[in-house]
Amino acid sequence: MFEIRSKDNLGRTGVLKTEHGEVRTPALMPVIHPGKQTIDVKRFGAEIVITNAYIIYRNPELRDEALRRGVHGLINFDGPVMTDSGSFQLSEYGDVEVENHEIVRFQDEIGTDIGTSLDIPTPPGVSHRRALEEVEITLQRARESLEYRERMMLNAVVQGSTHPDLRRYCASQLAELPVELHPIGAVVPLMESYRYRELVDAVLSSVSELPPSRPRHLMGAGHPMIFALAASMGCDLFDSAAYILYAEDDRLLSTEGTYKLENLQEMPCSCRVCTDYTPSELRGMEAEDRRNLIAEHNLHVSFAEIRKVRQAIYDGSLMELVEERCRAHPRLLEGYRRMSAYVELSERFEPRSKRSAFFYTGPESLGRVEVHRHLQWVKKNLKGRMAIAGPSRKPYSSTLPSSISGFRSMKPQADGEWSVVVADVPFGLIPLELDQVYPLAQSDAPGIMDLEARHFLRELILDLEGDVIISEDLCSELGLQLPHPYSGEVETYVDDLDRIRMIAEYQFGEGAGDALFPDDVRIERSRNTGKIRHIYSGEKLICTMRASDGLFVLSAEGARRLHDGTAYPRCRVAVNEESEPFAREGRSVFAKFIIDCDNNIRAGDEVLIVNAHDELLATGRALLCAEEMMDLNHGQAVKTRKGGF
Ligand code: GUN
Ligand code: ZN
C-alpha cells in the first residue's frame, strides 16, 4: 500500500494507497475538528485529512452520525481519512474515558481508512524507568489492536520519550507487527519549545528501526518551518492543527517562522489573502472572518512548502532546502547539525547519483552524507605517493600533457609515479581520475573558503599517510607550515585507462576496473566535449559514460564482464523464478520478486539482475536501496535495460 517513487537522503516521495484514493507523500493532513469545521481544506491541496475519533466517540450526536454515515460523511471529506485515538487528550489532560479495544473497534466501525491504537504519549525528560513502563503498554496495545481491527489500516505509534534506546526498542518491536504505518509520538512538546536537537534524536532513533516500506508520521508537526528537515529524516506524513490554532491566535505561519498580526506592517506572502488584504484591514475585522482568512493563508503556505519538499526530493536538492530552512532559527540549525551524528544511517539510503549538484551552503554541508561517503572511499583507497594541489578551474585534469606548478615538499621530489590529488571544498581530496564523476564534479562551493572548510582540508591533509607533497599555493592558503620547502611541478594529464579503471572501482567496488576493462580497450569521445563516451573491447561495447554524472552504464558485454570478474552478491539483485522470464525480456523488476541483493546497492546504481543460481539475466538501474528492495512488497525496484542476454 506504500510505494517509494524518488529518494534523497532519508527522505522519499511516495504514494500511499487507501480505499478512498491515493495520497502523494510527503503529505500534510489538516486536522478536521468534527462538528466545528468551516474551512474546505481540499481546496488548498489536502489529499488526506486527520480527525479525532475520541472526540466523536465522546459526543453522542457525533457518534451516532458517524456510525450511521461513516466518518467521511460526518466530516464531509470523500478522500482518505486518518483518525487519532484520544492519546493526545491523554497527554493534555492526563486521563481518557475509553479503552483501547473500544476506540480501535469504533474507528473500524465508522469506516476510517487509517486508525490509531491508544498509545501512551510519554512526555520528554521523564525517567528511563517510567518511559520503559509506558512503552510496554503502548506495545501491548498495538499488538491487541491487530485483533480488534477488521479492515482499516493501523497506525502503531513509536514512543520512548527522550531516551533514544527506548525509541529504538519500541520501533524495533513495532516493526515485527503486521501494521501499516508508524507515527512518531510525543514530539509536540519538543517542537513547541524549540528542542530540535532532541527531536532529531527521537526521530532518527525511531526511524533507524522502522521498516522502510511503511510511511512514518511525525505526529503534531504542522509548522511549515519543520517540513523539510522532518522529510529529510524520513518522515512521510505531517498533521496540522497549527493552521487553525495559530489563526485563532492571530498568528501567520511561514517557512521562516511565525508572524504576529499585531506586528505586521506588510503581509508576508503572495497568497490570495496576503494580496487582497492589508494587516490593518485584517485587524479591523470580526474575529471569525479574520480567523478564517489567516487560516487560509496558513494552509496556503503549508501546502506550498509540502509541494516544494516533494519537488526537492525528486530533484535531489532536499538537503540544500533543509540547510536554507534551518537558518531560520539557531535551534533548528542545531537540530540539523545533530543530523550529522546519524550519517551512517543516512548513507544506507542515500542515492549515489542525483539530478542536482551538491551546493555548499555553509560549514554544515561538510557533515552531509555525500562527503562522508567520499571520504570513506578516500581513506580506503588513496595510498602511495601523492601530490596535493589546491583547486584550479574544473575540470582539474587534462586530456593533454599539462601541469600544476607551485609545489613544495618535505622531501626532494623523487622520480617515479606521483598520483595527483586535488584538495577542494566540500569533498576534501579528489584524485584527478575522478574529477568528472558525481558528485565530485557536480558540486560547487564559494571560491573564498570559510574557517571551517580550511580547517577541514588541513586536517585531511595532515592525516594522510605516506609520501605527500603539497603545492605552495595550497600551503599558504591553508596556513600549513611545512619544513624544508622544495618546489616542483606535477602532471595533470590523466591516462584514459587509469581514469576509467578508477571510476569503475569507485562505482562498482574493488576489482571492477580490471574486470571491466582489458588493456586494449578502445575509447570513443564525444565530438562536442571531448569527454569519454563509449568504451569498447574490439567491436563490443562494454559501457557508456553517462554525461549527466560521469558514471558507467553497462552494456550486456559490460554486465557479463562485471559478473565474471566479481563474486556474488556484489552489484547483484537476485530475483525468484517467477520473475526470471520477465527480467530476461527486459521488463522492470518488482520489489516483491527480489530474494536477495548486495547490501551496498543504493538507488540509482547500475546493477546485475541474476537468478537464485547467480546466472546473469539482465542489467538495470536500481530505483531503491538494498534495504528497501528487501523490505518493500510493492512497486518497481530495478528499471531493467533491454536485451543482449
Ligand atoms: N498527537 C500528537 N502526539 C501524539 C501522540 O504521541 N500519540 C497520538 N496518538 N496522537 C498524538
Ligand atoms: Zn499569505
Side-chain angles (χ1 to χ4, degrees), residues 252 267-275 297-298 300-301:
L252 286 78
M267 293 303 284
C269 87
S270 55
C271 77
R272 187 185 72 91
V273 176
C274 290
T275 45
H297 158 90
N298 287 345
H300 177 88
V301 296

Side-chain angles (χ1 to χ4, degrees), residues 50 106 112 117 181 227 236-237 239 274 284 309 348 378 462 473 476 508 516 533 539 565 577 583 629 634:
I50 180 167
F106 179 67
T112 192
S117 53
L181 302 94
F227 294 164
D236 308 290
L237 297 167
D239 64 277
C274 290
V309 165
R348 298 182 350 229
V378 162
L462 291 175
D473 304 342
S476 62
F508 301 111
L516 278 174
R533 273 292 153 267
E539 288 309 304
E577 260 176 48
M629 284 188 187
H634 293 273

Side-chain angles (χ1 to χ4, degrees), residues 571-611:
C571 301
R572 285 147 169 90
V573 174
V575 298
N576 67 13
E577 260 176 48
E578 192 185 339
S579 161
E580 190 169 331
F582 296 96
R584 282 194 195 275
E585 274 176 35
R587 304 250 225 121
S588 287
V589 172
F590 284 82
K592 66 175 166 207
F593 299 120
I594 295 175
I595 50 179
D596 188 22
C597 72
D598 180 356
N599 260 332
N600 228 345
I601 289 171
R602 300 290 177 267
D605 284 2
E606 283 289 301
V607 296
L608 306 172
I609 302 161
V610 300
N611 64 15

Side-chain angles (χ1 to χ4, degrees), residues 84-85 87-88 116 119 121 159 185-186 188 219:
D84 199 354
S85 56
S87 298
F88 188 65
T116 311
D119 55 301
Q159 296 290 352
V188 170
M219 273 191 151

Side-chain angles (χ1 to χ4, degrees), residues 348-517:
R348 298 182 350 229
F349 294 88
E350 168 83 340
R352 285 207 179 85
S353 172
K354 298 192 279 197
R355 280 185 188 81
S356 33
F358 182 120
F359 282 172
Y360 181 92
T361 72
E364 292 78 23
S365 304
L366 298 172
R368 280 177 56 176
V369 55
E370 294 95 326
V371 176
H372 170 81
R373 178 185 278 157
H374 176 69
L375 292 179
Q376 293 292 105
W377 190 90
V378 162
K379 214 180 260 171
K380 225 177 117 207
N381 293 280
L382 277 197
K383 295 195 178 83
R385 295 168 150 183
M386 273 176 276
I388 317 284
S392 48
R393 234 177 302 119
K394 282 182 184 173
Y396 312 124
S397 66
S398 53
T399 44
L400 294 170
S402 174
S403 61
I404 314 179
S405 60
F407 274 82
R408 56 180 185 169
S409 62
M410 286 177 278
K411 288 185 198 144
Q413 185 172 342
D415 296 331
E417 291 276 307
W418 291 80
S419 60
V420 181
V421 175
V422 175
D424 202 355
V425 180
F427 290 104
L429 298 168
I430 303 171
L432 281 187
E433 289 82 351
L434 297 182
D435 75 337
Q436 280 158 40
V437 171
Y438 191 92
L440 313 176
Q442 293 77 3
S443 66
D444 209 349
I448 301 172
M449 269 187 242
D450 53 49
L451 285 174
E452 288 84 351
R454 205 170 280 148
H455 176 78
F456 161 79
L457 285 186
R458 197 160 46 212
E459 295 295 302
L460 279 176
I461 290 170
L462 291 175
D463 266 3
L464 284 172
E465 285 160 18
D467 250 355
V468 175
I469 58 171
I470 302 171
S471 93
E472 200 141 36
D473 304 342
L474 186 62
C475 282
S476 62
E477 165 121 43
L478 300 182
L480 277 174
Q481 309 258 329
L482 298 179
H484 314 304
Y486 291 87
S487 60
E489 288 202 336
V490 289
E491 182 61 67
T492 57
Y493 165 75
V494 173
D495 174 69
D496 281 341
L497 192 59
D498 289 344
R499 183 192 293 274
I500 62 178
R501 281 185 175 154
M502 195 186 287
I503 295 172
E505 306 266 310
Y506 194 70
Q507 182 176 357
F508 301 111
E510 213 177 321
D514 289 334
L516 278 174
F517 305 123

Side-chain angles (χ1 to χ4, degrees), residues 147-289:
E147 288 159 38
Y148 308 141
R149 71 117 168 237
E150 300 213 343
R151 32 146 297 278
M152 66 183 181
M153 294 193 257
L154 257 184
N155 269 331
V157 189
V158 184
Q159 296 290 352
S161 181
T162 31
H163 299 284
D165 63 319
L166 295 182
R167 290 275 176 184
R168 283 193 297 272
Y169 167 67
C170 188
S172 67
Q173 294 293 306
L174 295 175
E176 301 293 319
L177 304 180
V179 295
E180 288 75 25
L181 302 94
H182 292 289
I184 297 170
V187 288
V188 170
L190 295 176
M191 293 187 286
E192 279 176 348
S193 50
Y194 284 65
R195 292 158 72 180
Y196 294 117
R197 178 197 177 123
E198 288 161 283
L199 177 73
V200 165
D201 285 328
V203 172
L204 288 177
S205 43
S206 304
V207 164
S208 70
E209 296 293 334
L210 291 174
S213 58
R214 299 180 191 165
R216 302 130 181 173
H217 166 193
L218 192 63
M219 273 191 151
H223 199 302
M225 198 165 74
I226 191 86
F227 294 164
L229 178 69
S232 78
M233 296 191 287
C235 298
D236 308 290
L237 297 167
F238 307 100
D239 64 277
S240 176
Y243 76 94
I244 190 75
L245 296 178
Y246 279 60
E248 279 168 359
D249 207 16
D250 285 341
R251 288 187 295 167
L252 286 78
L253 299 173
S254 91
T255 54
E256 299 97 54
T258 308
Y259 301 105
K260 276 212 74 89
L261 181 61
E262 66 188 43
N263 297 328
L264 284 184
Q265 288 273 355
E266 308 285 344
M267 293 303 284
C269 87
S270 55
C271 77
R272 187 185 72 91
V273 176
C274 290
T275 45
D276 286 0
Y277 299 92
T278 65
S280 57
E281 281 169 350
L282 282 177
R283 284 191 286 264
M285 275 181 191
E286 294 286 326
E288 192 181 326
D289 294 340

